[in-house]
Amino acid sequence: MNDVTPTSAERTAKLEGMGCKRKRVEDIRFVQGKGNYVDDLKLPGMLYGDLVRSPYAHARVKKIDTAKAAAVPGVVAVITAETLKTVNLAWMPTLAGDVQMVLADGYVLFQNQEVAFVIADSREAAADAVELVDVEYEPLPVNVDPLKAMAPNAPVIREDIKDKTEGAHGKRKHYNHIFSWQAGDKAATDAAFAKADVKIREMIVYPRCHPCPLETCQCVASFDKIKGELTLWGTFQAPHVIRTVGSLISKIPEHKIHVIAPDIGGGFGNKVGAYSGYICAIVASIVTGLPVKWTEDRIENLSTTAFARDFHMDMEIAATKDGKVTAMRCYTIADHGAFDACANATKWPAGLFSIISGSYDFPTAYCLVDGVYTNKAPGGVAYRCSFRVTEAAYCIERAMDIMAQKLGMDPAEFRLKNLVRREQFPYTSAFGWQYDSGDYHTAMNKAVESVGYKKLRAEQKAKREAFKRGETRELMGIGVSFFTEIVGAGPSRACDILGIAMFDSAEIRIHPTGSGICRLGTKSQGQGHETTYAQIIATELGLPADSITVEEGNTDTAPYGLGTYGSRSTPVSGAATAMACRKIKAKAQMIAAYMLEVHDDDLEWDIDRFRVKGNPERFKTMTELAWAAYHEVPPGMEPGLEAVDYYDPPNFTYPFGAYICVVDIDVDTGQTQVRRFYALDDCGTRINPMIIEGQIHGGLTEAFGIAMGQELHYDEEGNITTASFLDYFLPTAVETPHWETDWTTTPSPHHPIGAKGVGESPNVGGVPCFSNAVNDAFSYLGSTHIQMPHDHWRLWTAAEKLGLHA
Ligand code: CDP
């Protein structure tokens, strides 16, 4: 080999394919302030919309007087439900099969509900006029407590459906009841509990929290009256779904709707659904014939769009005396607010909550979820979560610790005793899920060894003794969590949204000079898709990642897709990308065979080329084949080198992880110091280790926020008391702990490149880990469960209750 011939390693490195810590290509524009967000969009003649919102959580709307507002200079129109009724848009369907008021139609059902929409030639004029819309309310009784929603005399939340005995998901058992959903084997589980040696039962609450993307929800609607076409720019995690739903609601033919999602500053589930502001902006543009922009402010975002969690879980575990779990049972009340606008696949009104048996080999299990209406904002989105997986993981991981405590076993040892074993995969859980692959014991043992777990426990023991002797006022807590996720919705037999099967897609075109473009139906909100999809293509096709443009967020150019949420991009669109590459590669192989005058089967793939078996000097590189595809194809073959793939996954993927955290809590102030946090993740084949690490850091920071301080809190009158960042804890770099990350790699057997999702894992595994650490600190004093969030006031109160301030 002469000196200038690159080695295999050099050729591989040049591609920057899978496994490479490729720098994020999107950061070039982001770090220079050159991102292109919805609010950067300025169209000629553009108007601005702003919403009038209800100060009451529950009230009859007796009169809306818009005269004073309409007289404000610059105001073009004020829209109310009466205006929307003329175009049949006063109510809109939700993703969960319910209907929701676009603007208050006789009632308001939660504080800050949308009442009227002011359109003006400036944002300021619209905001001024909002103050002048005169609304007469008659307050009604309020209920914000989901546990009281189905009481005999509870306030009726939904007058419009109070007599309906059937909902979108079957029978309703109360006028505030939305659905009942169950999974598992009740009889077998009850029988196992009846003969159990040891049982625990705890009410575990996952408080209402919010995804809090840095950029709030917003859109610009522009209706072209001549063509009858609507262009909608917006912060959409699922642009094609918005187009289809938009067409169904507005009756504008789908081919005349163009949805564009430019750069998005964080989504986390907040930007999946359709909001009143979007509908109002569309109607306003149709009415005025001008583009209309709607931009949500922070208070509106926190108090009205897409909350997460609010699950109240009555959890039980049964076990033998020597610590083998025998059954689990959980009854949950899910607070969906005033309308069921939960973003779930149709068949799963409680999402994928039945992953609640977690990573453990439960012989039998049962869960029942009741969804209820309250006077709170609608939502229930998958905030960095695959449809309620986060709630399930929190519940089982807290419950496992509570059981370990009762058995007097170490939480890590108790988990190791009950984790599904490697030889059991593919493993069918008591709820019927088939976990694709896993090596839980290797992960758990690596985590335990990496942190020096035994030493930490010894230190904790010594500290507890010192605490008893009054030598310290600090409690040390060690949190362990082991989680299994279920991501990649989804197999179409199991998952659809409004009847649209949950597949996803990729279309790849390779240009004559060997560069190309890949278009997808997913939409990055910061996950780095432009970087990582190109890496999959680089490895699959042997073309440098730098030569591939990745484009998302344009429904006119991308093939139909269901969007990005619930860590589904890699499991579904990542697979579609690989499959589209393989179609291209198959054609390239035929071209190579023709050019080299051999049979297809006589060729083998080598990094970036097809070479003749046994004669590696004879080859055609992918770049040469791209050129040939446009001028030298075999007779009868059509020219060009492109493919589209619609991928319907055969199963979900099941990433997992082992997390360990160490905290020190000052019992006199309730202040918690996170001393260490170690996160081991297994997401199968790793496409970009640097991006994965970034995903883990971000998700852990969110988990820290949720566990240690976040709650969307309402007072008894339904006033939201945490609608700004003054009252709602959002961790900054100052509070955020240092993260130690680690990994194991257990590829998914059914995914073309073996990859599983990763984006939501740290939120799923992080929250129980923090909470277990805090609870572990107090456990030796007899405390079993302290509810989240674990802010210093609540922990001070917990210490007070335990008599530590006497
Ligand atoms: O759907 P979403 O993009 O939020 O989640 P994801 O599929 O878990 O991917 C998040 C980011 O991590 C993407 O840029 C992926 O390409 C990357 N990733 C990876 O590098 N390797 C994996 N096995 C999974 C995700």
Side-chain angles (χ1 to χ4, degrees):
M1 192 183 289
N2 68 40
D3 289 348
V4 288
T5 307
T7 63
S8 295
E10 283 164 347
R11 276 161 48 212
T12 304
K14 194 173 156 228
L15 299 179
E16 293 198 291
M18 288 193 280
C20 167
K21 292 185 182 177
R22 182 176 186 229
K23 286 205 176 124
R24 288 166 38 110
V25 291
E26 39 278 89
D27 286 349
I28 296 165
R29 62 179 188 278
F30 293 155
V31 298
Q32 295 183 65
K34 301 277 190 230
N36 177 35
Y37 297 89
V38 175
D39 206 38
D40 292 321
L41 197 67
K42 290 180 183 64
L43 299 178
M46 190 166 76
L47 302 173
Y48 298 83
D50 202 351
L51 283 157
V52 177
R53 295 180 178 276
S54 167
Y56 291 98
H58 197 189
R60 217 179 296 282
V61 177
K62 298 184 77 179
K63 208 168 112 198
I64 304 177
D65 184 348
T66 60
K68 273 189 250 158
V72 170
V75 170
V76 176
V78 183
I79 292 176
T80 64
E82 295 312 310
T83 331
L84 294 178
K85 278 181 189 168
T86 62
V87 282
N88 209 14
L89 281 177
W91 291 67
M92 61 177 171
T94 69
L95 291 178
D98 197 358
V99 285
Q100 176 176 354
M101 287 180 222
V102 174
L103 293 174
D105 185 15
Y107 293 88
V108 285
L109 304 181
F110 62 94
Q111 191 180 49
N112 285 352
Q113 186 179 328
E114 303 80 4
V115 175
F117 189 70
V118 176
I119 311 148
D121 62 8
S122 72
R123 198 170 277 175
E124 294 73 19
D128 287 348
V130 159
E131 300 295 318
L132 297 175
V133 174
D134 208 358
V135 187
E136 198 182 320
Y137 297 96
E138 180 191 322
L140 293 167
V142 170
N143 178 38
V144 290
D145 183 350
L147 302 185
K148 293 184 184 154
M150 290 197 285
N153 296 321
V156 177
I157 311 292
R158 292 287 297 277
E159 278 290 337
D160 58 311
I161 52 168
K162 77 171 189 303
D163 299 323
K164 273 182 81 175
T165 52
E166 283 281 323
H169 306 286
K171 286 239 166 315
R172 298 172 72 215
K173 46 190 184 196
H174 184 277
Y175 48 77
N176 290 331
H177 180 239
I178 308 172
F179 66 84
S180 285
W181 180 81
Q182 58 181 334
D185 187 335
K186 184 170 185 325
T189 304
D190 289 349
F193 268 94
K195 58 174 193 217
D197 293 346
V198 190
K199 293 181 254 190
I200 61 107
R201 181 173 185 177
E202 192 68 54
M203 185 65 175
I204 298 173
V205 179
Y206 201 137
R208 183 174 269 237
C209 59
H210 199 277
C212 289
L214 281 185
E215 180 201 31
T216 58
C217 299
Q218 34 203 286
C219 74
V220 176
S222 180
F223 187 71
D224 182 328
K225 282 194 176 180
I226 307 295
K227 291 186 185 161
E229 292 190 11
L230 172 72
T231 305
L232 186 65
W233 292 263
T235 47
F236 306 133
Q237 290 180 233
H240 283 99
V241 178
I242 292 284
R243 187 183 73 187
T244 303
V245 174
S247 173
L248 293 172
I249 297 177
S250 69
K251 305 284 181 278
I252 300 171
E254 197 168 351
H255 70 289
K256 295 202 169 198
I257 301 181
H258 315 285
V259 177
I260 300 166
D263 287 329
I264 298 185
F268 315 115
N270 186 220
K271 294 167 179 172
V272 172
Y275 296 122
S276 296
Y278 304 159
I279 309 290
C280 290
I282 293 170
V283 173
S285 180
I286 293 172
V287 171
T288 61
L290 290 167
V292 177
K293 180 183 274 190
W294 169 68
T295 311
E296 197 185 44
D297 68 25
R298 181 60 60 192
I299 290 176
E300 291 175 300
N301 182 257
L302 265 171
S303 62
T304 69
T305 52
F307 78 89
R309 328 297 191 227
D310 217 341
F311 260 40
H312 303 250
M313 303 168 283
D314 182 358
M315 178 65 158
E316 297 170 87
I317 293 185
T320 60
K321 274 194 222 78
D322 64 347
K324 205 80 185 117
V325 294
T326 54
M328 65 135 291
R329 192 162 58 186
C330 183
Y331 173 62
T332 294
I333 298 253
D335 184 342
H336 283 213
F339 305 97
D340 187 13
C342 198
N344 277 324
T346 310
K347 277 186 212 147
W348 310 97
L352 306 177
F353 186 65
S354 54
I355 197 76
I356 188 169
S357 54
S359 320
Y360 311 104
D361 191 13
F362 279 96
T364 182
Y366 173 72
C367 73
L368 170 65
V369 182
D370 276 323
V372 295
Y373 291 119
T374 61
N375 291 115
K376 296 183 190 169
V381 296
Y383 165 25
R384 211 145 183 175
C385 163
S386 187
F387 308 130
R388 304 296 193 179
V389 171
T390 314
E391 291 86 327
Y394 178 62
C395 190
I396 181 68
E397 286 307 296
R398 275 302 303 128
M400 288 297 281
D401 258 29
I402 295 166
M403 178 54 98
Q405 187 181 347
K406 182 149 186 181
L407 290 163
M409 280 178 80
D410 178 86
E413 187 194 324
F414 179 52
R415 282 176 171 79
L416 280 164
K417 187 157 190 158
N418 288 290
L419 287 172
V420 176
R421 296 185 314 279
R422 184 169 45 186
E423 62 275 17
Q424 288 176 281
F425 288 93
Y427 169 79
T428 304
S429 79
F431 287 110
W433 297 113
Q434 198 187 74
Y435 296 14
D436 57 350
S437 63
D439 185 353
Y440 294 173
H441 287 86
T442 298
M444 189 70 194
N445 284 325
K446 190 173 185 196
V448 162
E449 273 159 36
S450 301
V451 298
Y453 186 75
K454 274 198 187 131
K455 236 171 123 190
L456 285 170
R457 284 289 177 202
E459 182 192 344
Q460 183 187 44
K461 191 161 176 265
K463 283 223 159 124
R464 284 176 169 177
E465 276 151 21
F467 186 87
K468 269 194 196 148
R469 291 194 301 270
E471 291 164 16
T472 173
R473 297 293 288 160
E474 256 185 16
L475 293 175
M476 176 179 167
I478 304 170
V480 178
S481 73
F482 197 101
F483 64 92
T484 296
E485 275 246 75
I486 169 169
V487 302
S492 62
R493 63 184 142 63
C495 296
D496 71 87
I497 287 186
L498 298 174
I500 309 163
M502 292 190 74
F503 53 83
D504 228 291
S505 57
E507 183 205 83
I508 302 173
R509 290 185 186 169
I510 301 301
H511 309 316
T513 51
S515 63
I517 184 163
C518 176
R519 294 186 166 117
L520 304 109
T522 46
K523 177 65 207 169
S524 185
Q525 311 119 45
Q527 296 93 324
H529 288 179
E530 288 169 48
T531 308
T532 49
Y533 284 129
Q535 291 184 255
I536 297 175
I537 298 169
T539 297
E540 287 285 334
L541 288 185
L543 295 169
D546 270 346
S547 65
I548 307 294
T549 298
V550 173
E551 190 186 278
E552 298 176 302
N554 186 335
T555 55
D556 281 349
T557 55
Y560 202 99
L562 274 284
T564 291
Y565 41 86
S567 289
R568 64 185 297 281
S569 302
T570 304
V572 193
S573 290
T577 305
M579 296 308 280
C581 285
R582 288 174 195 183
K583 290 178 187 173
I584 287 173
K585 205 162 150 186
K587 183 170 180 181
Q589 184 168 359
M590 285 194 272
I591 299 171
Y594 173 69
M595 293 171 79
L596 293 164
E597 296 177 335
V598 294
H599 192 274
D600 303 359
D601 292 345
D602 294 331
L603 293 175
E604 61 187 4
W605 178 251
D606 175 36
I607 302 168
D608 55 2
R609 63 194 60 181
F610 281 105
R611 65 184 183 197
V612 177
K613 284 179 192 165
N615 190 359
E617 299 304 312
R618 294 194 66 220
F619 62 82
K620 289 289 169 193
T621 65
M622 201 64 192
T623 311
E624 290 170 319
L625 293 169
W627 186 256
Y630 290 87
H631 82 288
E632 202 185 343
V633 292
M637 180 186 274
E638 60 183 86
L641 200 55
E642 60 186 69
V644 60
D645 190 83
Y646 285 82
Y647 188 80
D648 185 0
N651 190 3
F652 292 90
T653 65
Y654 295 77
F656 57 92
Y659 291 2
I660 297 178
C661 162
V662 184
V663 298
D664 297 299
I665 303 170
D666 181 329
V667 295
D668 294 321
T669 62
Q671 286 288 0
T672 304
Q673 281 300 323
V674 179
R675 200 198 305 174
R676 278 188 82 177
F677 198 105
Y678 168 92
L680 179 148
D681 275 274
D682 192 318
C683 58
T685 304
R686 290 150 53 86
I687 301 164
N688 185 324
M690 181 198 71
I691 285 191
I692 292 173
E693 198 175 352
Q695 292 284 303
I696 307 284
H697 282 204
L700 288 177
T701 306
E702 289 175 327
F704 170 69
I706 293 169
M708 305 310 288
Q710 292 182 349
E711 182 182 16
L712 284 180
H713 178 264
Y714 291 79
D715 70 15
E716 285 197 347
E717 290 172 358
N719 299 305
I720 181 161
T721 61
T722 50
S724 86
F725 287 157
L726 285 177
D727 306 301
Y728 189 83
F729 172 53
L730 198 73
T732 66
V734 176
E735 299 90 3
T736 302
H738 172 73
W739 310 119
E740 299 166 48
T741 56
D742 205 346
W743 71 94
T744 53
T745 302
T746 314
S748 165
H750 62 79
H751 188 282
I753 56 170
K756 304 181 178 184
V758 76
E760 65 194 44
S761 294
N763 199 320
V764 170
V767 173
C769 193
F770 283 114
S771 188
N772 282 348
V774 167
N775 276 288
D776 180 66
F778 287 96
S779 65
Y780 95 112
L781 299 162
S783 162
T784 48
H785 179 64
I786 301 167
Q787 301 288 9
M788 286 195 299
H790 303 307
D791 55 57
H792 68 96
W793 166 242
R794 284 174 173 92
L795 293 186
W796 184 89
T797 310
E800 174 78 5
K801 276 192 194 147
L802 290 167
L804 299 180
H805 300 149

